[in-house]
Amino acid sequence: TISHWFMRLCADKGLLRRVYTQNIDGLDFQIQLPAEQLVNVHGSMGSVSCETCKEPYPYDAFRSAVESKIKDIYGTCLSAPSKSSQIKCPACGAATVKPDTVLYGSQLPRKFFECVDADMEGLDLLVIAGTSLTVGPANSVAYSVPDQCVRMNFNKEQVGEDLGIRYGEASTRDVFCEGGCDEQFLELMWHLGWLEDLLK
């Protein structure tokens, strides 16, 4: 999406410290955002590993294994087996290979806790996009920034007031960019003179 390409352009221009995303769709992998600048707070469908031994599992091999071993309950794939069988980890043999998503009640990735405190130090701009800011601890990023850090919220509605974000006349550092994220980021890129970069 345009929003993802905005992040990539920020990275390319040396303006991005880190992206913390709650989305598990893996789109950030498709724009080749540098892995060290990305924290998938709730994991991602874009990578696969063994839950037991944590060994990475090649994504394309996982897709092939799903197609050949997992029953298609919707009946759309004629080559799918009639009965599912286990996808085992080649490293430990456990049948616990799955996309790297964080299931409800599971621990967040270690990378979140390793990066968040250091990333907030000296930060001058936090971009918040398309989130309700209701899920913790990911929402803690919004109130962990330094007092002088500007927070730009790209959203269809104002969120985060219970976290200390202030809008309108009460705001000293919070900016609300109302509307869909793609439309708002496209307008920002136009103001920044980045549209030619977006088309490359």
Side-chain angles (χ1 to χ4, degrees), residues 131-133 142 151 153 158-167:
T131 177
S132 64
L133 288 177
R151 297 180 290 200
N153 181 12
Q158 296 178 353
V159 297
E161 291 166 301
D162 57 328
L163 302 174
I165 296 177
R166 300 289 171 253
Y167 298 104

Side-chain angles (χ1 to χ4, degrees), residues 178-194:
E178 184 176 6
C181 290
D182 284 344
E183 294 79 15
Q184 293 301 312
F185 280 121
L186 184 61
E187 183 176 341
L188 178 58
M189 286 187 279
W190 177 77
H191 285 291
L192 293 170
W194 292 5

Side-chain angles (χ1 to χ4, degrees), residues 109-130:
R110 185 178 16 215
K111 188 175 181 180
F112 174 80
F113 300 103
E114 290 172 350
C115 294
V116 72
D117 289 336
D119 283 349
M120 298 304 111
E121 224 173 275
L123 193 67
D124 56 7
L125 174 65
L126 176 70
V127 174
I128 301 166

Side-chain angles (χ1 to χ4, degrees), residues 70-178:
I70 305 299
K71 177 182 176 179
D72 177 9
I73 60 172
Y74 300 106
T76 58
C77 181
L78 300 176
S79 63
S82 59
K83 184 178 177 184
S84 292
S85 59
Q86 297 176 337
I87 301 173
K88 294 187 177 183
C89 174
C92 72
T96 54
V97 175
K98 71 170 205 53
D100 291 328
T101 54
V102 176
L103 302 176
Y104 184 77
S106 298
Q107 183 75 340
L108 292 184
R110 185 178 16 215
K111 188 175 181 180
F112 174 80
F113 300 103
E114 290 172 350
C115 294
V116 72
D117 289 336
D119 283 349
M120 298 304 111
E121 224 173 275
L123 193 67
D124 56 7
L125 174 65
L126 176 70
V127 174
I128 301 166
T131 177
S132 64
L133 288 177
T134 57
V135 179
N139 64 355
S140 68
V141 173
Y143 62 79
S144 298
V145 296
D147 291 340
Q148 71 279 6
C149 179
V150 174
R151 297 180 290 200
M152 291 184 75
N153 181 12
F154 293 79
N155 217 324
K156 292 183 179 177
E157 56 192 33
Q158 296 178 353
V159 297
E161 291 166 301
D162 57 328
L163 302 174
I165 296 177
R166 300 289 171 253
Y167 298 104
E169 292 181 21
S171 174
T172 57
R173 64 179 179 143
D174 297 314
V175 179
F176 179 50
C177 303
E178 184 176 6

Side-chain angles (χ1 to χ4, degrees), residues 33-52:
L33 196 63
E36 65 275 4
Q37 290 184 296
L38 179 65
V39 175
N40 291 100
V41 179
H42 296 148
S44 175
M45 295 291 290
S47 61
V48 179
S49 66
C50 175
E51 279 277 287
T52 303

